[in-house]
Amino acid sequence: SSGINAEYGGPCRRFTPNLISAFKALLGRNFQVIWVSRCWSSSDSDTFFQKMPWDRMSYSEGMGWRGEALFKLTNQRYIPAETMVDPNFNDINDQARTAIERYGY
């Protein structure tokens, strides 16, 4: 799963606890979250990431071509965005955020 998020947005701050709950519920399964920051600065990204129990793409990668490529690959337009992909980055669910908000995971 790839999450694209930023600390400055209310929707991102509200969604993150839901994603943390889903992540904890799925521990032990073949599941991983990689967070991609869209924060205004590296320090904002570092502060926001302290709340998260998963891996992340570095701030410079997330704001650079890798983050942009992932954002486009997963067909996202808004943040927070959550897309479930398989190990080859084939899209499984590009509306994972909605599923997490509605069902928990």
Side-chain angles (χ1 to χ4, degrees):
S1 177
S2 90
I4 302 172
N5 215 326
E7 67 79 34
Y8 60 80
C12 296
R13 287 192 306 272
R14 286 189 298 274
F15 175 68
T16 299
N18 295 337
L19 183 57
I20 291 170
S21 294
F23 178 81
K24 288 178 179 177
L26 294 169
L27 277 176
R29 298 186 187 182
N30 190 14
F31 179 81
Q32 179 181 11
V33 169
I34 301 171
W35 184 63
V36 180
S37 175
R38 299 311 251 182
C39 292
W40 295 117
S41 71
S42 179
S43 63
D44 287 344
S45 176
D46 291 344
T47 299
F48 193 47
F49 183 73
Q50 290 175 359
K51 304 171 190 171
M52 300 176 197
W54 47 72
D55 295 323
R56 72 173 171 167
M57 186 179 285
S58 73
Y59 178 76
S60 59
E61 286 181 318
M63 294 302 284
W65 70 269
R66 287 183 188 216
E68 281 299 316
L70 185 60
F71 205 62
K72 289 177 184 172
L73 174 72
T74 58
N75 197 31
Q76 298 297 338
R77 294 192 178 112
Y78 308 103
I79 58 173
E82 188 68 28
T83 300
M84 297 185 93
V85 295
D86 69 15
N88 296 314
F89 282 92
N90 295 308
D91 190 347
I92 295 172
N93 180 355
D94 67 356
Q95 298 301 313
R97 173 187 169 191
T98 302
I100 290 168
E101 289 175 332
R102 191 172 294 153
Y103 306 111
Y105 61 89

